[in-house]
Amino acid sequence: MLLTCGAAVPLPRAVDTIEWGVPMASYVIETDGLTKQWGDLVAVNELTIAIERGECYAFLGRNGSGKSTTARMLLDFIRPTRGSARVLGGSGADPAVRARVGYLPGDLNLARSMTGRDAIEFFGSLGPAPDRSVVDSLVERFALDPSRPVHELSTGNRRKVGLVLAFMGDPELLILDEPTSGLDPVLQEEFRDLVAERKAAGVTIWLTSHVMAEVERVADRVGLIGDGKLARELTMADLRRQSTGRIVFSFDGPRPASAFSELPGVTSAEAEGSDVAVTVDGSTAAVLRKAGEMGASAVQTERRDLDDIFLELFEHTQS
Amino acid sequence: MNAGRVAHIYRQWFRARLLSTIAWAVGLIAVVTLTAAFYPSLKDIFNNVGQGSGLESFLGLSGAIDPSSPLGFLWSNLYSNIVPWIMMALGIAIGAAAIAGDEEKGTLEYLLSRPAQRAEVVVARFAVLLTVLLLVALVVGIALAAVAPLFELTTATTTTAADGASVTNPGVSVGDIAAGTFAALAVGIGTGSIAFLLGAAIGRHGVAVGVTSGYAIAGYLLYTLSNVTGSLGFLTWISPWRWYVHDAMLITGLDWDVLLPFGLATICFAAGWFFFQRRDLRS
């Protein structure tokens, strides 16, 4: 099933109070100058993001870029050196806030003696009791055998346990670190369906992933982090525009690429024979008008793979 | 703090320790039974070689101790060495595992992603430390009380010294066993609490085990060497062996020194709570 990402569901600015006594804020995750530094190493540097209710935000970056450190600060495993982070209008240190969060770590480690069922019972007992039918449904959807000790399971099966645990409490916010890592394609599809359902119900999702096809299908917005700094934020609509932003014009003879270079939104223009290839970020109106004036005889658009765009963006991030 | 959550965390961690606790208990039952079983034959050997009295112990008791007497035998073969060492080792193992062990394995982080407070984890895990030590101490005491009559340990003995004087030594009573075992439990709790504090404060399991084990061993050397040489006596108060061995509570009964490890445990618990609240979890 192709998952389409609608616009985030905006919350009214007014503050309501929910059952656990924690105010619901307009931004589900809000960081302001969030910084984590160990000695000379700045793992996260002045990170400022705001994620609305119902939004799916993909936090992308290379290994060691600060993604997991950010997640760990959101949940108060580690404390910021500077800046602040608010989750569901409160602090990740507050158990009432964490009761409303489903978390899937990059590597799920549970006690050796714990079976999947033990884990569901134990972690379910620490907060609001999960609905039994929801748990059963998740176990069935992910084809999980809950009777086996978690430490005996393969990486993919441990991931299933983690996903059941993350989703079972009907959380308002899901923090998912590489959620489909190790899952087979069928279960990846199941995961995407589940995310779509939860998003439709207004759940906010913050995830990290290296699978760009997955990001494309589930995310509304991406944040690119490099060396701890948020380099760029784009909506998926921005990314899709970039993916179709390369236009090749054919002329009856050679034309100078420089004629396009100065136009608004043009990031590159290259001439090759009687063709000129132009890459546009944003509106293509000016480029098309110019090509018409120059007598273009044919127009061809090229769809670039999202992986290529991400790689390009990461290169810009690094530089 | 939510008492229900503390109870859940306590139960889960206790269940995780149950098998190892049973293993420790079974091992100790075997040690206690085997040691007691040797008493009838060793008692005769001591009497035959004329060492019925006058064995000076540098592990407790300023006066002489008669190793052929039931209490002297149990003290010199079990309660001045094996029982406190094992209680300390168990205390160190669980104290270090309580926070730092699970933190290094990554299991603590997932627990704290749930609505569990760090303070609740500290309370529950420390309670498990106390419970396991208490259970193992109970097993030791009950096992010894059960086997003592089978191996003449509850029977009074009479020995004749070189000067011809006769000395009658009482058999071991349940009260003696309770006092000695409680003192060993106390020193296990005190030492385990140090490991707990180190684990909670710095989150490094190996450091918590290493430093606390080093402390126990150094304390043993300090105490015994100080007793032999008569120097540095004031320093022996930092040794857990001073609190435990010096008064030989199996023989002399409980005294106020038995509270020292509990005072230390209270301080370590409070400090562990304080530091664990204020630091980053290690990934």
Side-chain angles (χ1 to χ4, degrees), chain B residues 170-259:
Chain B
V172 173
S173 69
V174 170
D176 296 329
I177 294 171
T181 309
F182 185 74
L185 166 67
V187 82
I189 288 174
T191 315
S193 301
I194 296 172
F196 181 88
L197 164 61
L198 289 171
I202 58 177
R204 289 177 184 271
H205 180 255
V207 173
V209 170
V211 170
T212 316
S213 302
Y215 165 72
I217 293 166
Y220 176 81
L221 290 174
L222 172 67
Y223 179 70
T224 52
L225 291 176
S226 174
N227 265 6
V228 170
T229 62
S231 57
L232 298 176
F234 66 97
L235 264 184
T236 59
W237 280 101
I238 66 170
S239 166
W241 294 89
R242 171 64 183 76
W243 316 329
Y244 173 73
V245 168
H246 192 76
D247 296 331
M249 293 179 213
L250 174 79
I251 298 171
T252 62
L254 292 176
D255 62 34
W256 291 110
D257 282 1
V258 79
L259 295 180

XYZ file of all heavy atoms in Angstrom, chain B residues 170-259:
653
model
N 30.221 -24.700 75.509
C 28.837 -25.031 75.163
C 28.705 -25.402 73.686
O 29.538 -25.028 72.861
C 28.093 -23.726 75.463
C 29.125 -22.664 75.281
C 30.424 -23.262 75.704
N 27.620 -26.118 73.363
C 27.317 -26.400 71.963
C 26.726 -25.148 71.306
O 26.418 -24.152 71.969
N 26.620 -25.236 70.013
C 26.094 -24.085 69.263
C 24.577 -24.012 69.445
O 23.886 -25.022 69.326
C 26.422 -24.251 67.766
C 25.746 -23.159 66.950
C 27.909 -24.220 67.543
N 24.100 -22.829 69.750
C 22.656 -22.633 69.882
C 22.113 -21.893 68.645
O 22.881 -21.302 67.864
C 22.345 -21.807 71.124
O 22.792 -20.484 70.935
N 20.813 -21.929 68.499
C 20.190 -21.190 67.405
C 20.500 -19.700 67.535
O 20.728 -18.992 66.544
C 18.662 -21.441 67.392
C 17.958 -20.502 66.413
C 18.358 -22.882 67.030
N 20.547 -19.211 68.767
C 20.858 -17.793 68.998
C 22.254 -17.440 68.511
O 22.471 -16.382 67.911
N 23.215 -18.349 68.757
C 24.591 -18.107 68.273
C 24.605 -18.009 66.741
O 25.226 -17.114 66.168
C 25.510 -19.266 68.686
C 25.649 -19.387 70.192
O 25.576 -18.345 70.871
O 25.800 -20.526 70.669
N 23.923 -18.980 66.137
C 23.906 -19.000 64.659
C 23.235 -17.728 64.126
O 23.713 -17.105 63.176
C 23.169 -20.262 64.147
C 23.961 -21.509 64.524
C 22.947 -20.192 62.638
C 23.235 -22.815 64.253
N 22.140 -17.341 64.767
C 21.434 -16.139 64.314
C 22.326 -14.908 64.433
O 22.394 -14.072 63.520
C 20.159 -15.957 65.125
N 23.046 -14.804 65.575
C 23.906 -13.628 65.775
C 25.038 -13.599 64.754
O 25.308 -12.567 64.123
C 24.461 -13.648 67.196
N 25.691 -14.742 64.566
C 26.810 -14.798 63.623
C 26.362 -14.540 62.192
O 27.016 -13.810 61.433
N 25.224 -15.127 61.832
C 24.745 -14.965 60.455
C 24.275 -13.540 60.216
O 24.495 -12.970 59.141
C 23.598 -15.969 60.179
O 24.025 -17.272 60.561
C 23.217 -15.964 58.715
N 23.647 -12.953 61.232
C 23.188 -11.573 61.070
C 24.375 -10.626 60.896
O 24.338 -9.696 60.079
C 22.351 -11.157 62.290
C 21.735 -9.802 62.151
C 20.642 -9.604 61.314
C 22.256 -8.709 62.829
C 20.068 -8.351 61.162
C 21.700 -7.448 62.689
C 20.604 -7.270 61.855
N 25.444 -10.885 61.648
C 26.637 -10.040 61.511
C 27.243 -10.190 60.115
O 27.690 -9.212 59.503
C 27.656 -10.404 62.578
N 27.229 -11.433 59.595
C 27.757 -11.644 58.233
C 26.857 -10.971 57.201
O 27.334 -10.405 56.215
C 27.855 -13.145 57.941
N 25.560 -11.039 57.431
C 24.614 -10.350 56.541
C 24.900 -8.845 56.547
O 24.929 -8.204 55.488
C 23.180 -10.606 57.021
C 22.084 -9.710 56.433
C 21.912 -9.974 54.946
C 20.753 -9.931 57.162
N 25.137 -8.319 57.744
C 25.384 -6.879 57.851
C 26.606 -6.465 57.045
O 26.573 -5.472 56.298
C 25.564 -6.495 59.322
N 27.673 -7.237 57.153
C 28.895 -6.852 56.439
C 28.706 -7.040 54.929
O 29.253 -6.273 54.122
C 30.122 -7.622 56.991
C 30.243 -9.013 56.409
C 31.396 -6.837 56.778
N 27.898 -8.015 54.545
C 27.578 -8.189 53.115
C 26.791 -6.997 52.595
O 27.038 -6.496 51.487
N 25.852 -6.529 53.386
C 25.046 -5.370 52.977
C 25.917 -4.116 52.895
O 25.826 -3.335 51.935
C 23.877 -5.167 53.965
C 22.823 -6.266 53.764
C 23.245 -3.783 53.801
C 21.695 -6.257 54.784
N 26.767 -3.940 53.888
C 27.639 -2.748 53.884
C 28.534 -2.725 52.657
O 28.651 -1.705 51.958
N 29.165 -3.858 52.362
C 30.085 -3.901 51.221
C 29.321 -3.806 49.893
O 29.746 -3.098 48.977
C 30.902 -5.212 51.257
O 31.347 -5.428 52.591
C 32.092 -5.139 50.344
N 28.205 -4.533 49.822
C 27.394 -4.460 48.604
C 26.914 -3.044 48.334
O 26.792 -2.622 47.174
N 26.652 -2.303 49.391
C 26.161 -0.934 49.227
C 27.216 -0.022 48.605
O 26.881 0.914 47.868
C 25.751 -0.351 50.578
O 24.745 -1.144 51.144
N 28.465 -0.324 48.910
C 29.537 0.486 48.299
C 29.546 0.247 46.785
O 29.645 1.191 45.992
C 30.908 0.127 48.920
C 30.909 0.487 50.410
C 32.031 0.857 48.190
C 32.134 -0.001 51.153
N 29.415 -1.022 46.406
C 29.355 -1.331 44.966
C 28.131 -0.686 44.324
O 28.187 -0.181 43.201
C 29.324 -2.845 44.760
N 27.029 -0.693 45.049
C 25.799 -0.071 44.549
C 26.014 1.423 44.318
O 25.659 1.970 43.269
C 24.681 -0.288 45.575
C 23.353 0.295 45.178
C 22.459 -0.448 44.427
C 22.997 1.590 45.537
C 21.228 0.080 44.047
C 21.789 2.129 45.157
C 20.902 1.376 44.416
N 26.630 2.073 45.306
C 26.881 3.516 45.182
C 27.770 3.816 43.981
O 27.475 4.710 43.178
C 27.538 4.039 46.473
C 28.210 5.404 46.382
C 27.216 6.491 45.996
C 28.891 5.762 47.694
N 28.870 3.051 43.860
C 29.790 3.314 42.750
C 29.092 3.107 41.410
O 29.249 3.898 40.475
C 31.017 2.399 42.851
C 31.977 2.728 43.992
C 33.029 1.639 44.137
C 32.660 4.073 43.741
N 28.300 2.047 41.322
C 27.571 1.778 40.081
C 26.577 2.881 39.777
O 26.443 3.314 38.625
N 25.880 3.339 40.788
C 24.870 4.385 40.576
C 25.534 5.722 40.237
O 25.006 6.504 39.446
C 24.009 4.536 41.833
N 26.695 5.953 40.825
C 27.337 7.261 40.641
C 28.085 7.359 39.320
O 28.099 8.422 38.696
C 28.297 7.526 41.805
N 28.695 6.257 38.878
C 29.525 6.375 37.670
C 29.079 5.467 36.532
O 29.532 5.620 35.411
C 31.024 6.117 37.974
C 31.217 4.726 38.576
C 31.593 7.173 38.885
C 32.670 4.380 38.844
N 28.226 4.507 36.828
C 27.652 3.681 35.764
C 28.627 2.706 35.128
O 28.375 2.219 34.039
N 29.711 2.414 35.807
C 30.685 1.458 35.246
C 30.720 0.212 36.138
O 31.205 0.256 37.273
C 32.079 2.084 35.179
C 32.201 3.161 34.120
C 33.597 3.778 34.180
N 33.733 4.867 33.245
C 34.125 4.731 31.980
N 34.401 3.540 31.511
N 34.223 5.783 31.195
N 30.244 -0.876 35.582
C 30.124 -2.114 36.344
C 31.492 -2.628 36.795
O 31.686 -2.977 37.969
C 29.407 -3.159 35.478
C 29.217 -4.464 36.149
N 29.968 -5.572 35.846
C 28.361 -4.850 37.125
C 29.577 -6.583 36.600
N 28.605 -6.171 37.381
N 32.430 -2.668 35.874
C 33.754 -3.201 36.192
C 34.436 -2.403 37.290
O 35.073 -2.971 38.184
N 34.297 -1.101 37.224
C 34.914 -0.240 38.244
C 34.265 -0.497 39.601
O 34.946 -0.601 40.636
C 34.787 1.247 37.852
C 35.261 2.150 38.981
C 35.567 1.528 36.576
N 32.937 -0.623 39.603
C 32.226 -0.843 40.871
C 32.668 -2.162 41.505
O 32.937 -2.227 42.719
C 30.715 -0.847 40.631
N 32.769 -3.211 40.677
C 33.193 -4.519 41.199
C 34.651 -4.448 41.654
O 34.999 -4.882 42.759
C 33.024 -5.618 40.123
C 33.680 -6.917 40.564
C 31.548 -5.852 39.839
N 35.498 -3.897 40.803
C 36.932 -3.871 41.084
C 37.275 -3.064 42.323
O 38.001 -3.539 43.203
N 36.739 -1.873 42.391
C 37.075 -0.997 43.527
C 36.548 -1.599 44.830
O 37.254 -1.628 45.860
C 36.502 0.426 43.310
C 36.624 1.263 44.569
C 37.214 1.101 42.143
N 35.327 -2.105 44.811
C 34.768 -2.634 46.056
C 35.475 -3.923 46.473
O 35.734 -4.133 47.670
C 33.248 -2.879 45.905
O 32.655 -1.777 45.245
C 32.595 -3.039 47.251
N 35.794 -4.770 45.503
C 36.536 -5.991 45.840
C 37.908 -5.620 46.411
O 38.370 -6.206 47.396
C 36.727 -6.876 44.611
O 35.484 -7.209 44.060
N 38.549 -4.641 45.780
C 39.840 -4.179 46.267
C 39.740 -3.652 47.680
O 40.610 -3.904 48.532
N 38.658 -2.945 47.938
C 38.435 -2.404 49.286
C 38.292 -3.548 50.300
O 38.879 -3.505 51.394
C 37.180 -1.532 49.265
C 36.616 -1.206 50.611
C 37.273 -0.317 51.465
C 35.424 -1.794 51.042
C 36.747 -0.028 52.717
C 34.893 -1.507 52.279
C 35.555 -0.623 53.120
O 35.042 -0.347 54.352
N 37.538 -4.593 49.937
C 37.332 -5.714 50.858
C 38.653 -6.443 51.128
O 38.969 -6.785 52.272
C 36.296 -6.674 50.284
N 39.427 -6.637 50.066
C 40.695 -7.363 50.221
C 41.700 -6.514 51.007
O 42.367 -6.983 51.937
C 41.268 -7.744 48.838
C 40.339 -8.777 48.180
C 42.680 -8.295 48.965
C 40.591 -8.982 46.698
N 41.786 -5.235 50.637
C 42.713 -4.346 51.345
C 42.306 -4.229 52.812
O 43.169 -4.187 53.716
C 42.723 -2.971 50.682
N 41.008 -4.203 53.045
C 40.527 -4.129 54.428
C 40.909 -5.368 55.215
O 41.258 -5.297 56.386
N 40.871 -6.493 54.553
C 41.257 -7.751 55.201
C 42.735 -7.719 55.573
O 43.128 -8.039 56.702
C 40.975 -8.902 54.239
C 41.395 -10.257 54.724
C 40.598 -10.983 55.600
C 42.594 -10.826 54.313
C 40.981 -12.236 56.051
C 42.991 -12.076 54.756
C 42.184 -12.786 55.628
O 42.574 -14.020 56.069
N 43.555 -7.309 54.617
C 45.004 -7.244 54.875
C 45.312 -6.249 55.980
O 46.103 -6.523 56.896
C 45.747 -6.845 53.586
C 45.768 -7.895 52.483
C 46.401 -7.337 51.224
C 46.537 -9.131 52.958
N 44.679 -5.095 55.885
C 44.916 -4.056 56.893
C 44.553 -4.577 58.282
O 45.335 -4.425 59.244
C 44.070 -2.822 56.555
C 44.063 -1.712 57.612
C 45.440 -1.067 57.715
C 43.020 -0.648 57.259
N 43.400 -5.215 58.374
C 42.938 -5.654 59.688
C 43.830 -6.757 60.253
O 44.255 -6.711 61.411
C 41.489 -6.137 59.597
C 40.978 -6.629 60.917
C 40.736 -5.720 61.956
C 40.807 -7.977 61.164
C 40.314 -6.164 63.196
C 40.385 -8.429 62.398
C 40.142 -7.519 63.415
O 39.739 -7.961 64.641
N 44.122 -7.761 59.421
C 44.912 -8.881 59.938
C 46.347 -8.450 60.249
O 46.892 -8.807 61.303
C 44.938 -10.043 58.934
O 45.348 -9.549 57.662
C 43.567 -10.682 58.798
N 46.953 -7.665 59.358
C 48.331 -7.240 59.611
C 48.411 -6.319 60.823
O 49.356 -6.373 61.600
C 48.914 -6.551 58.365
C 49.156 -7.478 57.169
C 49.638 -6.700 55.959
C 50.169 -8.567 57.550
N 47.407 -5.478 60.961
C 47.402 -4.589 62.125
C 47.284 -5.403 63.400
O 47.926 -5.104 64.410
C 46.231 -3.598 62.005
O 46.132 -2.826 63.165
N 46.486 -6.459 63.373
C 46.347 -7.312 64.556
C 47.651 -8.022 64.891
O 48.012 -8.179 66.052
C 45.240 -8.355 64.315
C 43.924 -7.891 64.872
O 43.797 -6.763 65.335
N 42.930 -8.761 64.831
N 48.361 -8.459 63.842
C 49.612 -9.184 64.065
C 50.697 -8.239 64.571
O 51.434 -8.540 65.505
C 50.062 -9.872 62.752
C 51.482 -10.416 62.892
C 49.099 -10.997 62.399
N 50.791 -7.066 63.950
C 51.893 -6.155 64.283
C 51.536 -5.191 65.411
O 52.409 -4.595 66.032
C 52.269 -5.303 63.054
O 51.124 -4.508 62.682
C 52.671 -6.184 61.875
N 50.266 -4.996 65.625
C 49.841 -4.060 66.672
C 49.917 -2.604 66.244
O 49.747 -1.700 67.059
N 50.171 -2.345 64.970
C 50.251 -0.949 64.520
C 49.053 -0.592 63.637
O 48.360 -1.476 63.134
C 51.549 -0.725 63.740
O 51.610 -1.608 62.656
N 48.887 0.691 63.460
C 47.806 1.228 62.600
C 46.424 0.763 63.040
O 45.488 0.664 62.230
C 48.017 0.858 61.126
C 49.273 1.399 60.452
C 49.389 0.866 59.021
C 49.258 2.918 60.436
N 46.278 0.510 64.323
C 44.997 0.010 64.824
C 43.833 0.946 64.544
O 42.731 0.501 64.227
N 44.104 2.267 64.614
C 43.016 3.231 64.404
C 42.452 3.156 62.987
O 41.284 3.450 62.741
C 43.511 4.656 64.704
C 44.561 5.152 63.746
C 44.209 5.955 62.672
C 45.895 4.802 63.890
C 45.165 6.410 61.773
C 46.858 5.246 62.995
C 46.492 6.045 61.933
N 43.341 2.742 62.040
C 42.892 2.694 60.641
C 41.959 1.521 60.372
O 41.242 1.496 59.379
C 44.102 2.567 59.710
C 44.638 3.856 59.101
C 45.783 3.517 58.138
C 43.550 4.607 58.339
N 41.999 0.529 61.247
C 41.217 -0.681 60.970
C 39.717 -0.402 60.974
O 38.940 -1.222 60.491
C 41.515 -1.793 61.993
O 41.196 -1.307 63.302
C 42.959 -2.224 61.923
N 39.334 0.743 61.503
C 37.893 1.050 61.506
C 37.344 1.243 60.088
O 36.139 1.167 59.881
C 37.610 2.313 62.336
C 37.599 1.971 63.802
C 38.584 2.183 64.705
C 36.542 1.305 64.509
N 38.230 1.701 65.938
C 36.969 1.155 65.848
C 35.292 0.804 64.152
C 36.184 0.544 66.820
C 34.506 0.195 65.123
C 34.948 0.071 66.436
N 38.215 1.516 59.125
C 37.702 1.637 57.758
C 37.545 0.267 57.111
O 37.032 0.163 56.000
C 38.609 2.524 56.861
C 39.965 1.858 56.652
C 38.752 3.920 57.438
C 40.805 2.552 55.592
N 37.995 -0.777 57.787
C 37.917 -2.112 57.206
C 36.611 -2.788 57.593
O 36.235 -2.800 58.766
C 39.093 -2.961 57.705
O 38.855 -4.315 57.423
N 35.936 -3.392 56.620
C 34.714 -4.134 56.978
C 35.013 -5.296 57.914
O 34.147 -5.746 58.652
C 34.176 -4.631 55.630
C 35.312 -4.578 54.687
C 36.200 -3.478 55.167
N 36.254 -5.773 57.887
C 36.612 -6.900 58.751
C 36.668 -6.485 60.213
O 36.419 -7.285 61.108
C 37.927 -7.510 58.293
C 37.746 -8.127 56.950
C 37.898 -7.519 55.746
C 37.266 -9.440 56.677
N 37.557 -8.377 54.736
C 37.172 -9.582 55.278
C 36.912 -10.525 57.470
C 36.734 -10.740 54.665
C 36.490 -11.693 56.862
C 36.405 -11.794 55.479
N 37.017 -5.232 60.436
C 37.030 -4.753 61.816
C 35.620 -4.801 62.413
O 35.415 -5.216 63.547
C 37.577 -3.313 61.853
C 37.444 -2.595 63.202
C 38.282 -3.287 64.277
N 38.124 -2.679 65.592
C 37.073 -2.834 66.388
N 36.072 -3.582 66.001
N 37.039 -2.257 67.570
N 34.655 -4.393 61.598
C 33.288 -4.363 62.112
C 32.771 -5.768 62.377
O 31.985 -5.995 63.277
C 32.331 -3.710 61.116
C 32.826 -2.467 60.468
C 33.669 -1.552 61.005
C 32.524 -2.028 59.147
N 33.913 -0.558 60.108
C 33.217 -0.823 58.953
C 31.741 -2.517 58.124
C 33.151 -0.109 57.773
C 31.663 -1.809 56.944
C 32.373 -0.619 56.776
N 33.218 -6.683 61.518
C 32.626 -8.013 61.578
C 33.423 -8.963 62.466
O 32.909 -9.587 63.377
C 32.522 -8.585 60.161
C 32.079 -10.029 60.165
C 30.767 -10.352 60.466
C 32.979 -11.063 59.922
C 30.353 -11.680 60.514
C 32.574 -12.385 59.964
C 31.269 -12.685 60.264
O 30.871 -13.995 60.320
N 34.702 -9.060 62.167
C 35.510 -10.129 62.761
C 35.911 -9.822 64.199
O 35.935 -10.697 65.053
C 36.768 -10.364 61.891
C 37.760 -11.242 62.602
C 36.353 -10.983 60.569
N 36.189 -8.554 64.455
C 36.806 -8.209 65.719
C 35.997 -8.692 66.915
O 36.555 -9.155 67.914
C 36.990 -6.691 65.799
C 37.875 -6.273 66.921
N 39.247 -6.417 66.868
C 37.595 -5.738 68.128
C 39.775 -5.970 67.981
N 38.792 -5.557 68.763
N 34.688 -8.575 66.785
C 33.862 -8.936 67.939
C 33.347 -10.371 67.880
O 32.683 -10.818 68.813
C 32.685 -7.963 68.053
C 33.172 -6.550 68.326
O 34.251 -6.422 68.948
O 32.516 -5.593 67.886
N 33.643 -11.088 66.797
C 33.250 -12.511 66.674
C 31.855 -12.738 67.238
O 31.664 -13.470 68.212
C 34.283 -13.394 67.370
N 30.886 -12.119 66.607
C 29.542 -12.117 67.195
C 28.880 -13.495 67.207
O 27.909 -13.698 67.927
C 28.667 -11.092 66.475
C 29.160 -9.667 66.729
S 28.165 -8.440 65.879
C 29.395 -7.202 65.508
N 29.430 -14.430 66.440
C 28.930 -15.805 66.539
C 29.147 -16.316 67.959
O 28.318 -17.044 68.505
C 29.677 -16.703 65.544
C 29.350 -18.193 65.649
C 28.023 -18.499 64.955
C 30.455 -19.054 65.023
N 30.273 -15.907 68.545
C 30.648 -16.424 69.859
C 30.196 -15.480 70.985
O 29.650 -15.914 72.002
C 32.187 -16.622 69.923
C 32.584 -17.654 68.858
C 32.623 -17.059 71.309
C 34.076 -17.782 68.663
N 30.390 -14.192 70.734
C 30.137 -13.236 71.838
C 28.741 -12.637 71.792
O 28.343 -11.925 72.710
C 31.165 -12.092 71.777
O 30.983 -11.409 70.521
C 32.586 -12.611 71.869
N 28.017 -12.887 70.722
C 26.678 -12.293 70.585
C 26.757 -10.923 69.920
O 27.827 -10.336 69.766
N 25.608 -10.440 69.528
C 25.564 -9.161 68.803
C 25.956 -8.004 69.705
O 25.636 -7.991 70.897
C 24.153 -8.913 68.252
C 23.673 -9.845 67.134
C 22.233 -9.526 66.762
C 24.573 -9.723 65.908
N 26.660 -7.043 69.119
C 26.898 -5.781 69.832
C 26.633 -4.616 68.875
O 26.256 -4.818 67.721
C 28.302 -5.744 70.441
C 29.390 -5.833 69.389
O 29.187 -5.301 68.264
O 30.451 -6.435 69.651
N 26.876 -3.424 69.374
C 26.490 -2.241 68.586
C 27.261 -2.093 67.274
O 26.801 -1.434 66.344
C 26.650 -0.967 69.420
C 25.645 -0.895 70.524
C 25.875 -1.023 71.856
C 24.227 -0.699 70.388
N 24.697 -0.937 72.575
C 23.671 -0.720 71.692
C 23.384 -0.524 69.308
C 22.312 -0.566 71.923
C 22.032 -0.363 69.524
C 21.498 -0.381 70.823
N 28.436 -2.702 67.211
C 29.229 -2.574 65.978
C 28.489 -3.124 64.753
O 28.796 -2.765 63.612
C 30.561 -3.327 66.115
C 31.557 -2.532 66.939
O 31.179 -1.423 67.390
O 32.686 -3.008 67.138
N 27.535 -4.019 65.016
C 26.813 -4.612 63.882
C 26.006 -3.556 63.124
O 25.623 -3.756 61.972
C 25.899 -5.752 64.387
C 24.611 -5.204 65.003
C 25.579 -6.726 63.248
N 25.794 -2.422 63.772
C 25.024 -1.360 63.104
C 25.873 -0.552 62.126
O 25.335 0.146 61.266
C 24.412 -0.422 64.149
C 23.357 -1.062 65.061
C 22.826 -0.034 66.055
C 22.207 -1.637 64.236
